Amino acid sequence: MANVTSISKKEIIELLSLKGSEQIELHRKASEIRRDSVSDRVYIRGLIEFSNICENDCFYCGIRKSNNNVRRYELTPDEILGAVDEAASSGLTSVVLQSGERRDRRFISLVTDSLRIIKQKYPFMGITLSSGEQDRSVYEEFHKAGASRYLLRIETSNEEHYNRLHPGAMSFRERIRSLHDLRDTGFQVGTGVMINSPFQIPENLADDILFFQTLDIDMCGMGPFIPHSGTPLGKVEYSAEESFNLGLNMIAVLRIVMPDINIASTTALETLSPAGRESGLMAGANVVMPQFSPFSLRDSYTLYDNKPLGSEDNRGFLDSLKEKIKSLGLIPVTENSGTSIHYIRRTQNVSTC
Ligand code: 5AD
């Protein structure tokens, strides 16, 4: 296996299918590349799911608009700050604010106000935002108010596939437009896909990897599709083992292809295997995002069935996560918010080769 940054679709498809000893070798190679390019540091970001109200009706997602069995909530700026206080007092200097997607002015002001008060109290707090497609002027407002990273998953890079996972009101082109606007606004841009989602074929995942390369992303968060029983795609045939393996191999191949980006080991991996988060790190990821949302609301942010809730004891959970990271021979980092090295290089116009 060559240390490649340019790779053919056929090679990617082959690598994604590896199992057994060849898979272990793929992950070992990806870990080695991670060490050489972004070091053994694993950045820990506190995840705050601040609202589950959503305008979209994605066919796979548990918080889709037409799921009436969800208790909807929205934190106030003070409550969001309270969750950030909790993360900060546990030593974190990086948080991810995530929500359902809405474009009304009230929502935009809620986000902007929250960003401002967080930055006022914690000027050095790294803030990642994940609140869907917005107008460019809104992205500019969010960036100015203090968010420096933005996660917006494309879900699949194939437009036809996208249209089978989303209702007609949602547009693949709009999502691409949003990703370009985020980049032009100056954000560190992250995207990602659902792995082994309904109607997906191996070629789609290879195209996803090439799409990430073409878009020149700074960060990636991707995870296996897991059915949610209250959604139109909640009953599709599905192999947890297959999804888990593909999830890990996607991380490994992406690390090989884009050595200096930040890659998250996501909660969906943990849902499929108790040590899934650690497996993601062993496959080449370098970011983890433990939950810091108010505990009593976590079961209302059920994107898919059996989503883990973490622990009410955030600090205890964080300590044990750090120990697990150390036991893998990696270094948990909380005191540095972990800017994507890829972003630093591309904005300073330095070659990433
Ligand atoms: N399985 C896995 N991931 C899901 N998401 C939403 N629903 C599911 C599901 N059933 C992911 C999407 C979305 C993110 C917030 O959660 O990728 O972008």
Side-chain angles (χ1 to χ4, degrees):
M1 204 187 310
N3 180 0
V4 278
T5 46
S6 109
I7 190 167
S8 76
K9 204 152 135 178
K10 189 161 159 276
E11 279 174 290
I12 298 176
I13 294 173
E14 268 168 33
L15 291 176
L16 291 178
S17 71
L18 295 181
K19 299 212 170 88
S21 59
E22 285 180 324
Q23 183 182 30
I24 294 170
E25 175 59 18
L26 170 71
H27 297 185
R28 196 197 54 71
K29 173 89 185 168
S31 295
E32 203 178 282
I33 291 175
R34 179 199 40 220
R35 172 170 305 156
D36 291 347
S37 48
V38 293
S39 87
D40 276 338
R41 286 195 275 270
V42 174
Y43 297 100
I44 305 180
R45 315 199 190 288
L47 176 62
I48 300 167
E49 294 158 333
F50 66 93
S51 168
N52 66 356
I53 305 172
C54 193
E55 276 177 11
N56 290 343
D57 228 358
C58 308
F59 297 144
Y60 48 83
C61 183
I63 63 167
R64 66 198 302 266
K65 176 173 67 179
S66 46
N67 185 357
N68 294 324
N69 293 321
V70 180
R71 184 174 42 135
R72 302 286 170 174
Y73 71 86
E74 174 190 281
L75 299 187
T76 63
D78 279 343
E79 287 167 333
I80 296 174
L81 185 64
V84 176
D85 284 337
E86 179 85 10
S89 69
S90 305
L92 298 190
T93 55
S94 178
V95 290
V96 181
L97 304 185
Q98 189 165 76
S99 71
E101 186 164 321
R102 275 156 64 199
R103 275 169 283 275
D104 56 283
R105 188 66 236 176
R106 220 190 118 264
F107 175 75
I108 292 163
S109 299
L110 165 75
V111 175
T112 306
D113 291 349
S114 302
L115 291 169
R116 285 212 189 95
I117 62 171
I118 295 168
K119 276 296 194 186
Q120 210 165 27
K121 186 159 178 187
Y122 303 106
F124 299 108
M125 185 64 68
I127 308 178
T128 308
L129 196 57
S130 182
S131 294
E133 291 166 27
Q134 304 290 345
D135 285 346
R136 186 181 170 132
S137 59
V138 174
Y139 287 145
E140 282 164 1
E141 185 177 326
F142 290 163
H143 193 252
K144 216 162 131 202
S148 53
R149 310 182 172 94
Y150 203 103
L151 295 172
L152 177 65
R153 287 189 181 180
I154 187 75
E155 313 297 357
T156 170
S157 61
N158 180 292
E159 186 166 5
E160 244 169 75
H161 185 212
Y162 184 94
N163 290 338
R164 297 185 76 180
L165 299 174
H166 301 96
M170 291 178 69
S171 146
F172 180 77
R173 303 278 160 94
E174 260 302 288
R175 199 154 283 212
I176 301 275
R177 186 275 307 155
S178 301
L179 286 165
H180 285 291
D181 279 352
L182 284 165
R183 187 179 159 110
D184 293 346
T185 302
F187 276 103
Q188 293 173 54
V189 180
T191 190
V193 293
M194 278 190 306
I195 297 160
N196 213 16
S197 63
F199 321 118
Q200 190 175 63
I201 55 171
E203 199 186 333
N204 294 144
L205 284 174
D207 282 332
D208 293 341
I209 296 270
L210 298 172
F211 170 85
F212 298 150
Q213 253 194 325
T214 306
L215 203 67
D216 198 26
I217 60 171
D218 305 305
M219 322 181 288
C220 186
M222 54 189 171
F225 162 79
I226 301 168
H228 183 294
S229 53
T231 63
L233 295 174
K235 288 187 183 62
V236 295
E237 220 175 286
Y238 149 85
S239 154
E241 194 189 336
E242 178 74 11
S243 295
F244 186 65
N245 282 326
L246 270 176
L248 297 180
N249 290 355
M250 277 292 279
I251 291 177
V253 174
L254 185 59
R255 174 60 69 201
I256 292 170
V257 170
M258 299 191 78
D260 61 359
I261 65 170
N262 282 344
I263 303 178
S265 183
T266 57
T267 320
L269 283 172
E270 203 188 319
T271 309
L272 296 182
S273 161
R277 216 195 288 253
E278 289 94 299
S279 304
L281 292 173
M282 293 308 280
N286 69 329
V287 172
V288 288
M289 302 186 292
Q291 293 217 43
F292 273 80
S293 317
F295 190 77
S296 63
L297 294 175
R298 288 186 198 169
D299 65 350
S300 297
Y301 209 92
T302 309
L303 303 167
Y304 42 81
D305 289 339
N306 304 315
K307 182 166 168 270
L309 302 179
S311 160
E312 196 158 8
D313 172 14
N314 288 329
R315 196 166 305 195
F317 189 83
L318 184 63
D319 286 343
S320 86
L321 180 60
K322 286 187 194 165
E323 285 311 311
K324 284 180 196 162
I325 293 169
K326 283 187 203 156
S327 75
L328 303 175
L330 301 172
I331 307 157
V333 179
T334 52
E335 67 283 354
N336 171 330
S337 84
T339 296
S340 157
I341 292 179
H342 187 80
Y343 172 83
I344 296 172
R345 289 191 177 142
R346 80 168 167 83
T347 49
Q348 291 175 351
N349 225 354
V350 173
S351 163
T352 52
C353 298

